[in-house]
Amino acid sequence: MSVALHRRLFSAEAVAHPTNRVQIYVSRSHDPYLNLSFEHYLLQKSHPDSVVLLLYTNRPCVVIGRNQNPWLEVGLGALNRPELLAPVVPLMDGEGEGGRNGNGNSNGIGDADADVLGVQLVRRRSGGGTVFHDLGNVNYSVLCPPAAFDRDRHALMVVRALQSLGVSSARVNERHDIVLADPDDAAKQQTFKVSGSAYKLTRLRSLHHGTCLLSTPNLDRVGQFLRSPAEPYMKARGVDSVRSRIRNVGVGNAAFEEAVVAEFGAMYGNVDVETIATRDIEEIPELMRGYEELKSLDWIYTQTPQFTFSTCSTEDDPRTRPPLPDYLPQDELAQFDLSITARHGQITEARGAGIETSALDSVYLHKVDDWCTLIGEAAGCWLNSVFGVRPK
């Protein structure tokens, strides 16, 4: 199978033109904020009657849903440690943006930034759970009229693409995830998740997007990025992620892209595939305003629904807490007890036993560089580790 990826000048006007009813784009940027901004631009600007496919690959990042809590869903401390990532495969000689390495993965301009950036945190504009992206994932987005929307329709399209590549056990489960049968399960009842989805519906358009694990070298590292040490102490509003066993599909990015394009073409009609370079996206002022919003700390952190963090069981959250470190301040009369309520990432109430909490009033959690300066050395060091702060 071979699908021609034609490089031509991107036209923002063509996106919205009523005759442009089938559109296919492959982004060669690996910037997650840029790719999600381009996706949102297509959602807003593509003609209401059109169907659009977008494929893209991001450098290492954790992407949370529109209504999720980063302190609950993400190991924030691990994101700032690039040494936890598997080494990036170097580019082959003569390859630049959109080049391929020997495994069929995209490794374009900016991949070396992972050594400096670690894993970036991104909040998308759609719902759903938290996912990890790197160069071994390909992300797919399909835009269509609301009347044609079905949660399984385009997941099944991706399944057919995988099956055309020899992945015969791929199927869509009851949660609309794409799963593969466990090869060690004779009855084939146990599965591994290889692709999850999220959705955004507007009056005129519907969006279904997902990511497919193809050949990530970070498979055994995903847990440390998607598990928060604060989780046992937090009760939150919003959407919780559902954890699943995961695995790689074992096909290359290029083969996956071609197979998905072929299945999309079979459904809606074959058209030229337009590759999108970073410069194409950066030349659209409206899109770049959305890009700056996605990168802003206000968007990433202050969109968080209300939550409560408490070190001891409460009436609202009677779960047994893990044992606290021995070094936390306590005496015979008062056990260490800290309770924080935050809304939009800002502390609205704080109380504690054996600790002074007055300095926490109205503090934004993401702006704290060192909790020790607010509540003392012992309690502060513990909160630094729990909330993933690296003191400057």
Side-chain angles (χ1 to χ4, degrees), residues 204-270:
L204 296 177
R205 301 295 275 156
S206 63
L207 164 67
H208 169 191
H209 58 178
T211 185
C212 196
L213 283 165
L214 299 178
S215 58
T216 173
N218 291 297
L219 199 64
D220 60 349
R221 298 168 171 86
V222 172
Q224 60 194 333
F225 300 126
L226 300 188
R227 284 188 174 85
S228 169
E231 181 180 7
Y233 309 96
M234 293 183 66
K235 180 178 176 62
R237 298 176 183 174
V239 178
D240 293 340
S241 295
V242 177
R243 304 195 189 281
S244 304
R245 296 194 308 164
I246 59 174
R247 59 162 285 187
N248 282 319
V249 173
V251 302
N253 291 21
F256 178 79
E257 288 175 353
E258 292 181 355
V260 172
V261 166
E263 290 297 332
F264 185 82
M267 292 175 68
Y268 299 111
N270 292 307

Side-chain angles (χ1 to χ4, degrees), residues 178-211:
I178 298 174
V179 297
L180 303 184
D182 185 342
D184 296 325
D185 176 21
K188 305 301 181 187
Q189 297 298 310
Q190 300 299 314
T191 60
F192 289 95
K193 180 177 175 179
V194 297
S195 179
S197 297
Y199 314 91
K200 185 175 178 65
L201 304 179
T202 69
R203 184 174 63 86
L204 296 177
R205 301 295 275 156
S206 63
L207 164 67
H208 169 191
H209 58 178
T211 185

Side-chain angles (χ1 to χ4, degrees), residues 35-36 39-40 43 53-54 56 63-66 123-129 131 133 138-143 149 151 154-155 158 176-177 195-200 206-212:
N35 284 325
L36 284 170
E39 176 187 84
H40 188 64
L43 176 66
L53 172 67
L54 169 65
Y56 58 91
V63 185
I64 63 175
R66 173 66 178 83
R123 185 191 292 274
R124 62 178 178 267
R125 290 186 170 90
S126 63
V131 292
H133 294 175
V138 170
N139 303 286
Y140 53 91
S141 304
V142 180
L143 308 172
F149 174 77
R151 290 179 184 268
H154 296 110
V158 175
H176 316 290
D177 298 326
S195 179
S197 297
Y199 314 91
K200 185 175 178 65
S206 63
L207 164 67
H208 169 191
H209 58 178
T211 185
C212 196

Side-chain angles (χ1 to χ4, degrees), residues 41 281-291:
Y41 178 82
I281 301 173
E282 292 176 340
E283 290 174 356
I284 306 174
E286 181 180 352
L287 188 155
M288 292 308 293
R289 287 193 290 272
Y291 171 71

Side-chain angles (χ1 to χ4, degrees), residues 33-76:
Y33 307 105
L34 208 61
N35 284 325
L36 284 170
S37 297
F38 182 59
E39 176 187 84
H40 188 64
Y41 178 82
L42 293 174
L43 176 66
Q44 292 182 309
K45 298 299 182 182
S46 58
H47 192 275
D49 294 330
S50 67
V51 287
V52 181
L53 172 67
L54 169 65
L55 300 171
Y56 58 91
T57 297
N58 289 329
R59 59 177 168 247
C61 60
V62 168
V63 185
I64 63 175
R66 173 66 178 83
N67 300 306
Q68 289 199 294
N69 183 327
W71 292 281
L72 176 64
E73 299 289 342
V74 185
L76 294 173

